[in-house]
Amino acid sequence: MAIIKSRHPVGVLSWYHVVLVLGMLVGSALGGKHKFEKDQKIILWANKVGPFSSPTETYQYFDLPFCQPKTKDNKPLTLGEVVDGNRMIATQYDVSFRVDKEKMSLCKRKLSSDDLAAFRKAVSKDYYFQFVFDDLPVWGYVGKTEKDANGNIQKILLFTHFNFDLAYNDDRVIEINISTDPTKVADISEGAQEANVEFTYSVSWKETHVKFSQRMDKYRKYQFLKHHLDIHWFSIINSFVTVMLLTGFLATIFMRVLKKDFLKYAVDEEEVEDMEESGWKFVHGDVFRFPIHKSLFCAFAGTGLQVLVLTFFVFGLALIGTFYPYNRGAMFTALIVLYALTAGCAGYTSASYFKQMEGKKWVRNLLLTIGVFCGPLLVVFAFNNSVAWVYGSTAALPVGTIIIMILIWLLVSAPLTIVGGVLGKNAKVDFAAPCRTNKYPREIPDLPWYRSTIPQVIMAGFLPFSAIYIELYYIFASIWSLKVYTLYSILFIVFCILLVVTAFVTIALTYFQLTAEDHRWWWRSYMCGGSTGLFVYGYAIYYFYAKSDMSGFMQTAFYFGYNFIVCYALFLLLGFVGWRASLAFVRRIYRAIKCE
């Protein structure tokens, strides 16, 4: 059922957004010109409104019956800004550089019963609105409610006057704040059929010594409060201790257990025949037997590497200051374009490993590589976008944006995957296993229940998850509420620790699996590495019910749908890291012994 009717401007998105994405992102971060002369009018853009409990459920500002402009002047937006749900329209507020105004009338409106109902719903659900002034975001509430001692709403009040407090330094805008006048409200409580309302505003300018390059620090200061920094550093110390313990554990395996194994197995053939066959050495004829469904396995590996490369690129852009607070448009643009441009990594890696595994149907392998991540993403996006369209939300992408994204996938991502696949297929690479594979697989002995796949996968995901769970709260609060996360350097350190812990844990579990003479380590090492994604999704479920105030079908669909995609991408990324580390380990130990 639709809440507020909405009309989505299709907009014009030119191809230079794709070709010059890095220049555009850096230019956005640097701020461009942003210089004004006295009395020069600056447009105040109305972006969106929505419930405070969920920033994903947003609507156009003028879907509510505020003072409507005669003609709606839409601000040109980047691809990422449209994906983020931004729809900026010029307001009627007359804000000129360094010109004070007092109690100016914006318009007088006679609100009908439908208008009042729309405002009542917005105020009772704590709707906030977002304005953008010279690329500076500012927020305010539509109204407020007065409740009795039992929490029942007694009055619903609509704010009709806004004070804009602005700061400038020389010829640049530094800061904007918005406040309301508690005496200038309209009572729109239940029972009123019509109401005459006058919307007014005031503008006040003051000089500041804050530099233009520091004007975004205001939005970052929440993250730099001492107790928050202490929590982040505690997270890093906790993760570092986990890495040290794992390093010591694996060092014990390498220096003591494996050393004994090497001495045990480095004997003459006649002695081997007298020994009871047990341990990882005696599966040397099967350990390099390629996995079942190797085409799908290679597609997973290729896509996992692509997501890993994409993540490092995004971190690189974040660390040089490309992304600024409360504007995720630049990050969405980077994700879309970089995903398309890194598709060649997936195609090359998948086809290369598929060739090494003596695969024949390489076209099928490439199709799997193209669809292994895009397929689930398309299903979730189609469902959520349909829900957003029904609700009339700006979270629903316009048709023009969808066409642009399809063209990026058809003309950039898919062709690069195919080109990478052709190069990988023709690459002169060989698997070069240290041991020869037997014609028939060795029988696997009966194993205790805790050595089966599911318990191993659960154990594998626990330690890596414990290394990142403190940071997860801040990440979720940034994505699914109006809090900001800008400590990208700390997040990058935690991410690197996550990769190391995942690799170490997967190597250890692969070693224990081989000592039990279970040579089916390929898929299990991938699932053990990626199992952290399952833990993160479990945390997402906990966060939804315990930490957030989200409700309603649209918010629930968006939350669980897109969190599933993120956790699936994390599964692919960490699965590749775990499997690749295990492959290097297995090669190392079998190269060190005498194999037939």
Side-chain angles (χ1 to χ4, degrees), residues 153-205:
I153 296 177
Q154 296 296 309
K155 286 185 177 182
I156 301 177
L157 304 176
L158 174 69
F159 294 136
T160 59
H161 180 85
F162 293 113
N163 298 308
F164 296 99
D165 299 310
L166 300 108
Y168 69 93
N169 187 343
D170 194 15
D171 56 356
R172 293 177 181 270
V173 178
I174 303 299
E175 184 179 351
I176 179 172
N177 292 296
I178 189 170
S179 60
T180 58
D181 187 341
T183 64
K184 298 292 182 67
V185 294
D187 190 346
I188 57 171
S189 303
E190 294 289 344
Q193 297 299 318
E194 292 182 346
N196 293 313
V197 176
E198 181 180 13
F199 292 93
T200 59
Y201 67 99
S202 299
V203 180
S204 174
W205 289 87

Side-chain angles (χ1 to χ4, degrees), residues 536-586:
V536 174
Y537 197 72
Y539 179 84
I541 297 174
Y542 161 78
Y543 183 90
F544 181 84
Y545 290 105
K547 299 292 184 181
S548 77
D549 296 321
M550 288 183 281
S551 61
F553 183 74
M554 177 184 167
Q555 295 180 30
T556 303
F558 268 64
Y559 182 86
F560 287 104
Y562 287 124
N563 271 328
F564 168 76
I565 293 300
V566 172
C567 293
Y568 177 51
L570 187 64
F571 170 83
L572 293 173
L573 186 158
L574 296 179
F576 172 79
V577 171
W579 165 71
R580 197 63 186 83
S582 296
L583 177 61
F585 170 76
V586 172

